[in-house]
Amino acid sequence: TSGSTGTPKAVMVTHGNLASALLAWRERYALQPGESHLQMASAAFDVFTGDWVRALGSGGRLVLCPRETLLEPAALLTLLDRERIAVAEFVPAVIRLLLAQLATEDGKLPPLRLLIVGSDQWFVAEAAALRERCAPGTRVFNSYGVAEATIDSACLEIGDGLPAAGPVPIGRPLANTRLYVLDAQGEPVPPGVPGELCIGGAGVARGY
């Protein structure tokens, strides 16, 4: 689907695009064989491909999350714990449900190794609240990308150095990716000047 128009469309992602994405994820997230990954996304969502490529491409185990469980935070927390999920990616809407559930019981998330939040904007206050609910050792990342550039193009590990308020920054480009902020003439803008974010590199799908 297109987030800009809402009109369904196809994106021609190649095996080479996916291989590049997998190599970038392996490097940035230190993916390990034998880890359990949660499959939360619908097959119509580009994150679906990211979930299974990260798991199966790194020798991991893929645990399918029923749709009704994803939208029921108590059941989702039980699934994460029962299946010993090490790697999970959620949209901010699901994170908000989990935070609300944990707040009611003053609880913590199960001991994930890696928690990725992406596909929509979320905010620094939410990131801080999420870190408070994570088990020691859990790494939390904000991911950014578009289907036309093979799912993820940049990420930021949530830790010290976040702004005091506002949206969580998208971070820095993943391996094999280049990010440019350009003006209306396609020229780079100086630091701090608004412009259009353009993505280049091995993840750019056919036709772009």
Side-chain angles (χ1 to χ4, degrees), residues 80 84-88 90 109-115 134-139:
L80 292 172
R84 299 184 179 181
I85 299 297
V87 180
F90 295 117
L109 283 165
L112 305 167
R113 184 184 70 79
L114 180 64
L115 177 56
C134 285
T138 298
R139 300 178 72 190

Side-chain angles (χ1 to χ4, degrees), residues 1-11 148 208:
T1 59
S2 168
S4 57
T5 68
T7 302
K9 66 178 183 180
V11 175
E148 294 86 347
Y208 292 90

Side-chain angles (χ1 to χ4, degrees), residues 27-106:
E27 176 186 292
R28 191 68 182 93
Y29 296 148
L31 300 178
Q32 301 296 322
E35 291 186 313
S36 293
H37 296 240
L38 186 68
Q39 172 66 68
M40 81 81 195
S42 150
F45 189 16
D46 63 351
V47 173
F48 173 89
T49 307
D51 287 340
W52 67 257
V53 165
R54 277 196 298 265
L56 305 184
S58 63
R61 168 178 173 257
L62 193 63
V63 177
L64 304 182
C65 179
R67 186 70 180 168
E68 58 272 17
T69 301
L70 181 65
L71 300 176
E72 175 46 60
L76 180 55
L77 289 168
T78 298
L79 176 68
L80 292 172
D81 188 48
R82 183 181 71 241
E83 298 293 341
R84 299 184 179 181
I85 299 297
V87 180
E89 178 168 359
F90 295 117
V91 295
V94 172
I95 291 296
R96 291 174 186 125
L97 290 174
L98 288 175
L99 286 174
Q101 177 69 29
L102 292 169
T104 64
E105 56 196 44
D106 194 24

Side-chain angles (χ1 to χ4, degrees), residues 146-194:
V146 294
E148 294 86 347
T150 313
I151 311 160
D152 286 344
S153 296
C155 72
L156 174 78
E157 185 162 9
I158 304 298
D160 296 333
L162 284 176
V168 177
I170 67 170
R172 296 188 175 276
L174 294 169
N176 305 323
T177 300
R178 298 185 300 278
L179 301 179
Y180 302 96
V181 182
L182 306 178
D183 63 19
Q185 286 71 47
E187 296 295 328
V189 299
V193 175

